[in-house]
Amino acid sequence: MAYFGNNPQRGELQELYADLNDLNFEKKKEAVKKVIAYMTVGKDVSDLFQSVIKCLEFNDIEMKKLIYLYIVNYSRQKPDDAIMVIQNFRKDVRKSENPLVRALAIRTFGCLRVPKLNEYLIEPLKDCIQDDDPYVRKTAVLCVPKVYEVSPEICPPLLDILQKLLEKESNALVLANLIQSMREIEVVSGKQIINLNQKIIQKLLLAVDECIEWGQIFILDYLATYNPQDSKQAEVIIERTLPRLSHINPTVTFCAVKVILKYLDFLDNGELVKNLCKKVAPSLISLLSWNQPEVQYTILRNISLILQKFPILFENDVKVFFCSFNEPYYIKYEKLDIMVRICDSKNFAQVLNELLIYLNEADPHFVRKTIKSIGKIAITYDKALDKAVSILAEFAKNIQSPTEPAQELLIQMQLIYKKSKQMYKHEDSLKIIYSIIDYANEPESKSACAWIVGEFGEFIPKSVEKMKEYIDNFQMEDRLVQLQLLTSAVQLYLKYPSQCSVLIQQLIVSAKDSFNPDVRDRTYIYWRLLSTDPEIVKNLVCFNSGTFSNFSKDLRLWETQDLVLALENMGSISNLFHKLPHQLYKNIKIKVNNQQEVKIYKGEEKPEAQVKEQQDENQQNIQKEQQQDIDLLNFDDPPANNNKNNNSNKTDVFELI
């Protein structure tokens, strides 16, 4: 365009000023276009404010659009001059016969965002909300949140008018935008201003069929936050929402899913709940067929959230979440998490076979996450232990450098051994893992190696020499590694007291003056215990596999009420980060959900008798520990050890130091 070609030369503003005040309409219009062009490229033309607003006297809609754009841009710089436009706005709103002009005027008026001008906007806005033309009403209701954000104190009359309009409005487009406007005000204020009754609910459900896609999204989004009065009303809303599950727009489909999942808690018919779950799952799966990875990622992030409340939703559709070779890695990461969540005692073999393929991927981060997923499945399901250990042991044979997968492998094998100590015999897994123990270079993996050496010292050749290597570098290790080395060294000392007496002495000398209080305190506690009664230390640090038998499948990462709020906001940006809206945006005030009962649709649960038995066992262990009358905080010379049952060949560590 010619207007953007050259920078204005000296004196051009004077020429524009002359053209704007010319009697010729075409010259005025051409001058206004040039002013907007200069404003667009960053040229300051605010000095022409008075001359530009005089052109509002003409009824040409194209010129009015340009002038309104100019006013919105410069009204904050010249609020006193902007007051002069008020009469022109009022004239366009009340006297213009063209609904486009009326809507344009009220829209521009709402975009000024100057507090001192808002008081002049209330009366014209009331007139437009009650206008006969639906387009003007729609524009007016969208203007109310803008005014409320700048001047909430003058808006109560407008809110009353919006509520009355909600009760009598029959146009679906206006109704959808009205709901969205009132919801935005609720978000800013933190108060409920929408009062629904059965008549309004029916009107909203009818409007869903008549609205464009955006209108359907607005209405369904609001229905997802509404708590129905009873089971019958919930069934009616779900029935009217079901056709949206097959909508071509993924956002509409997702909003329908959100509504149905919300209302499942209010249904009394268990068979109906099962049937609805069977209908919802295919709709979510169909959304994953979109070629855009961004859409897939959004759906997967929300499915991960849904599974925290509905872990049984995709129990028969695990294949859908298998990764393709050409998918971006951020999609693959989400699919891995979901596969672990929907894995159960029936399909774990299928999932592990798929994860075995992923171990050959080129990306080390993805391979590491795959190993972590295999470990999670192994410690969750006893039946999966053998196959998982076989996979990890076979993978360990090919490790020849300290890569990321090697670090994660050591960590997961430690957890598996904690779950079942007997797994060290399976396919010589302990021997294979010990062969790569020198590749550990992260604190977590080093800590895992130290645990393995201490726990299985009697099965590892030269375990004392390996522990000595660790202790020689004790001061340079991370706090996590130091704490584990203390425990593992004590374990080895209890197994080989004569060989480890010097070793444990060296460790205590290195650790007792540590700057870290955790390391220092643990050192003194072990020192005191070893000097008092080594049998107590043996019960304390020597591993008992029964203690770690209560691994559970962690599906819920949030508290129940937070989970309900997150599910109500499915599809929002906050859910992509797995955060609540008020955690991501500081100016959002959450509305307290009054839902009395929240159901979690769990899959497999531990039998109640088993849980009670585990609790009783833990209680007995606690009572047994409390019976030991030893003051661990007393570091004076200990009393003579009169326990004749102790092994006489065990060296007194206190005397060594």
Side-chain angles (χ1 to χ4, degrees), residues 296 320-332 335:
Q296 293 180 0
V320 176
F321 301 100
F322 287 175
C323 302
S324 301
F325 72 95
N326 57 347
E327 287 178 333
Y329 277 109
Y330 60 86
I331 298 289
K332 292 182 178 181
K335 285 189 173 182

Side-chain angles (χ1 to χ4, degrees), residues 580-627:
L580 298 176
H582 65 279
Q583 294 173 341
L584 197 61
Y585 304 104
K586 295 182 180 179
N587 61 337
I588 289 182
K589 301 177 182 178
I590 60 171
K591 185 176 63 174
V592 178
N593 194 305
N594 296 321
Q595 185 174 340
Q596 297 296 325
E597 182 182 1
V598 180
K599 301 175 184 177
I600 302 296
Y601 298 82
K602 297 181 180 179
E604 300 179 1
E605 295 186 4
K606 184 182 289 189
E608 188 174 337
Q610 185 179 351
V611 175
K612 190 175 186 306
E613 181 182 346
Q614 184 65 39
Q615 291 175 349
D616 294 341
E617 182 180 345
N618 293 339
Q619 186 66 27
Q620 291 175 4
N621 292 335
I622 293 174
Q623 293 175 356
K624 185 176 180 181
E625 291 173 3
Q626 291 175 347
Q627 292 174 358

Side-chain angles (χ1 to χ4, degrees), residues 168-179:
K168 66 179 183 179
E169 182 58 59
S170 58
N171 186 280
L173 182 63
V174 178
L175 198 59
N177 285 276
L178 177 59
I179 285 292

Side-chain angles (χ1 to χ4, degrees), residues 304-410:
S304 179
L305 188 67
I306 292 170
L307 285 172
Q308 295 183 40
K309 191 171 187 293
F310 302 91
I312 61 172
L313 199 61
F314 299 98
E315 58 183 359
N316 298 322
D317 301 299
V318 66
K319 283 187 177 180
V320 176
F321 301 100
F322 287 175
C323 302
S324 301
F325 72 95
N326 57 347
E327 287 178 333
Y329 277 109
Y330 60 86
I331 298 289
K332 292 182 178 181
Y333 292 152
E334 291 303 317
K335 285 189 173 182
L336 270 181
D337 287 338
I338 293 174
M339 273 194 285
V340 174
R341 288 183 179 278
I342 63 181
C343 180
D344 55 32
S345 58
K346 299 176 183 178
N347 60 18
F348 72 86
Q350 188 180 16
V351 175
L352 287 176
N353 287 332
E354 182 68 17
L355 295 178
L356 175 59
I357 300 174
Y358 301 159
L359 291 178
N360 298 320
E361 285 277 350
D363 183 49
H365 301 287
F366 182 66
V367 176
R368 178 169 192 165
K369 195 169 182 65
T370 302
I371 294 173
K372 188 174 183 179
S373 301
I374 294 174
K376 284 183 179 179
I377 294 173
I379 65 176
T380 305
Y381 302 103
D382 293 339
K383 296 179 181 179
L385 275 172
D386 291 346
K387 187 171 182 62
V389 171
S390 299
I391 293 173
L392 295 178
E394 189 64 29
F395 179 77
K397 293 178 182 178
N398 301 321
I399 293 178
Q400 299 178 352
S401 60
T403 58
E404 283 191 41
Q407 314 307 312
E408 190 63 40
L409 177 64
L410 293 167

Side-chain angles (χ1 to χ4, degrees), residues 22-51:
D22 198 282
L23 298 178
N24 188 308
F25 173 74
E26 293 300 329
K27 277 191 174 183
K28 284 179 178 288
K29 189 173 183 179
E30 195 69 17
V32 171
K33 289 182 179 180
K34 287 183 178 180
V35 169
I36 299 301
Y38 291 154
M39 182 185 73
T40 305
V41 297
K43 172 68 177 180
D44 184 14
V45 287
S46 59
D47 294 338
L48 302 174
F49 195 90
Q50 296 285 348
S51 301

Side-chain angles (χ1 to χ4, degrees), residues 203-252:
K203 193 186 298 184
L204 291 175
L205 294 175
L206 290 173
V208 171
D209 297 327
E210 303 173 8
C211 281
I212 61 174
E213 294 173 349
W214 281 110
Q216 295 179 36
I217 294 169
F218 291 158
I219 295 175
L220 291 173
D221 254 350
Y222 177 71
L223 290 176
T225 65
Y226 172 69
N227 293 333
Q229 299 173 355
D230 50 33
S231 177
K232 184 178 180 181
Q233 188 182 47
E235 287 186 33
V236 171
I237 296 176
I238 289 176
E239 183 180 355
R240 299 299 296 271
T241 308
L242 281 175
R244 307 273 90 71
L245 290 178
S246 56
H247 200 280
I248 191 173
N249 188 312
T251 310
V252 176

